[in-house]
Amino acid sequence: FAPKERGKALGIVGATIGLATILGPLLGGVLIQLDIGGLMWRTIFYVNVPIGVAALVGAWFFLGESRAPGATRLDLPGTGLVTLGLFLLVFPIVEGRDRGWPWWVWVMLASAVPVLLVFARYERKRTLDDNAPLLRMSLFKDRAFVAGLALSFVFFAGLPPFFFSFAVYLQIGLGFSALGSGLTGFPFAVGSAMAAAASDRLTKRLGRRILLVGTGLLVLGMSGVLLTAHLVGVHPHTWQFLPALFVSGLGLGLFIAPVINIILAGVRSEAAGAASGVLSTVQQVGGAVGVAAVGVIFFGLIGANTGRATDAVTPEVRQSLAALHLPPAAQEKVLAGFRRCFDDRGHAKDPSTTPPSCRARAGFPPQVAAALRTAGRDALAKDFSRSYQQTLGYEILIFAAAFLLVFRLPDPHPASRAPTSAVPA
């Protein structure tokens, strides 16, 4: 695209990305609800087969071929080193909590550092020799580009974790269906698509400041989600989250569409492909680290808040047990078992599973078991609601940090931007 057309093109790309990001959970909810062929959740993976085929066919017919003026060899050693280094970094971060942080997780994390340092040194030598490096290390001499990488890492360390924690909060904590959870997030998609579609026009007026507006709206929107979760308690309706999620979507659309062009504005055309590849990788790593961090925070808080949640429902349980004419000693025994069960569930790696301590209720009379099930659902909702509100503090801080990092970016006039043609996936 010519420079004057690029902003509009990237605005369309941003609108598509924003819309698809939010519609994905909605489509997943529909597929799970339909339970096609008894496959349940597995259809959310199988659906990628027809989508992939459609993408291949569309690329064949609609994407024009492009070739570099001078063909270069593939940097296989560099590719192998960076792949190994990122695997050693990302895999233990994503899997560590679920596996109980075993020793090999820490060994992998420690090993990632020297491997990535070797990669950087190797790429620096190839850059100096002008020997077709996978990563042109000269890019890191551009302070604006480095600031853009930091901004992208921080921003994406907040975006995927929000959708992850929001879905867990709604489905496991409050009992929403997968479809209901997807529909609740739909206003985010609408706001994102609307803002991204208008982003090119706004960027011409505001320049870099559009990213300040976007991140500022995300801070405001996340604060609104926090306030909404606090006010509605454990029985929210989908529409109650609409204003806060719509504002958050506007913020995403105003950020995601122009940020690529702004970060790559000062990069020379011949380095645009390498620069966009680095940018895309940093975004993916940021998202993985963010999801892992929020998983540790959110599930850690769920375990820490079990006592408060059981205290909140204890009077209700006592009243139900007294109405069933259970002796005081039997009531205390049932309550102790209920607390132990709920605490074990809260500290489990997967809070949707049933710990062994919770199976004791199977021997209780039906009325007692029913009372405990009701109290357990109420306590779970209170626990998740409080823990999610506390976790949203992470999101607010992350997007506030992104807001501040925007000031490190240059603000060139759109007409002076160097031609770039690569867009991170």
Side-chain angles (χ1 to χ4, degrees), residues 190-274:
V190 175
S192 177
M194 290 175 58
S199 64
D200 179 47
R201 186 168 62 253
L202 293 173
T203 302
K204 291 176 181 177
R205 295 181 182 178
L206 300 175
R208 180 192 64 184
R209 288 175 294 172
I210 192 171
L211 303 182
L212 294 173
V213 176
T215 50
L217 285 173
L218 275 163
V219 171
L220 180 63
M222 293 296 110
S223 301
V225 174
L226 171 58
L227 179 62
T228 303
H230 178 72
L231 293 177
V232 301
V234 298
H235 300 293
H237 297 284
T238 292
W239 63 266
Q240 292 171 311
F241 286 101
L242 190 154
L245 291 176
F246 181 73
V247 170
S248 299
L250 291 176
L252 175 62
L254 292 179
F255 182 93
I256 203 74
V259 70
I260 299 169
N261 211 26
I262 291 174
I263 291 175
L264 299 181
V267 176
R268 293 177 292 108
S269 298
E270 59 268 25

Side-chain angles (χ1 to χ4, degrees), residues 145-401:
F145 178 69
V146 173
L149 292 181
L151 171 62
S152 294
F153 180 88
V154 170
F155 184 85
F156 279 86
L159 189 62
F162 170 74
F163 297 122
F164 164 70
S165 58
F166 190 59
V168 172
Y169 157 67
L170 291 179
Q171 293 182 49
I172 298 180
L174 304 186
F176 277 50
S177 67
L179 178 58
S181 174
L183 287 171
T184 303
F186 187 69
F188 207 123
V190 175
S192 177
M194 290 175 58
S199 64
D200 179 47
R201 186 168 62 253
L202 293 173
T203 302
K204 291 176 181 177
R205 295 181 182 178
L206 300 175
R208 180 192 64 184
R209 288 175 294 172
I210 192 171
L211 303 182
L212 294 173
V213 176
T215 50
L217 285 173
L218 275 163
V219 171
L220 180 63
M222 293 296 110
S223 301
V225 174
L226 171 58
L227 179 62
T228 303
H230 178 72
L231 293 177
V232 301
V234 298
H235 300 293
H237 297 284
T238 292
W239 63 266
Q240 292 171 311
F241 286 101
L242 190 154
L245 291 176
F246 181 73
V247 170
S248 299
L250 291 176
L252 175 62
L254 292 179
F255 182 93
I256 203 74
V259 70
I260 299 169
N261 211 26
I262 291 174
I263 291 175
L264 299 181
V267 176
R268 293 177 292 108
S269 298
E270 59 268 25
S276 63
V278 175
L279 184 60
S280 178
T281 302
V282 166
Q283 291 172 353
Q284 300 298 325
V285 173
V289 171
V291 169
V294 161
V296 171
I297 294 170
F298 190 20
F299 291 113
L301 287 169
I302 289 170
N305 288 324
T306 55
R308 186 187 290 266
T310 51
D311 287 342
V313 302
T314 293
E316 172 191 338
V317 178
R318 286 187 186 278
Q319 186 176 3
S320 299
L321 296 179
L324 295 172
H325 306 293
L326 253 66
Q331 291 182 30
E332 293 303 319
K333 183 177 179 181
V334 170
L335 277 170
F338 172 73
R339 284 180 172 275
R340 183 168 57 254
C341 163
F342 193 79
D343 186 70
D344 289 346
R345 184 190 293 272
H347 286 89
K349 295 175 183 177
D350 180 0
S352 65
T353 59
T354 302
S357 58
C358 297
R359 295 169 189 157
R361 74 173 60 166
F364 292 151
Q367 299 93 331
V368 173
L372 293 179
R373 280 195 298 271
T374 301
R377 285 194 297 268
D378 291 344
L380 187 69
K382 293 179 185 297
D383 190 358
F384 268 72
S385 180
R386 179 177 179 81
S387 300
Y388 181 65
Q389 291 173 51
Q390 294 170 330
T391 303
L392 280 170
Y394 166 90
E395 299 290 344
I396 294 171
L397 288 174
I398 281 289
F399 291 122

Side-chain angles (χ1 to χ4, degrees), residues 12 57 111 247 363 420:
I12 295 172
V57 173
S111 301
V247 170
T420 56

Side-chain angles (χ1 to χ4, degrees), residues 43 132 141 189 372:
T43 51
K141 294 180 180 179
L372 293 179

Side-chain angles (χ1 to χ4, degrees), residues 50-99:
I51 289 174
V53 171
L56 287 171
V57 173
W60 180 266
F61 285 103
F62 299 112
L63 286 184
E65 184 60 271
S66 61
R67 297 183 183 277
T72 57
R73 299 188 310 276
L74 180 61
D75 180 5
L76 291 176
T79 303
L81 282 170
V82 74
T83 301
L84 176 61
L86 290 176
F87 173 76
L88 292 170
L89 175 67
V90 175
F91 183 81
I93 289 175
V94 173
E95 293 291 324
R97 181 190 170 274
D98 286 345
R99 298 174 184 266

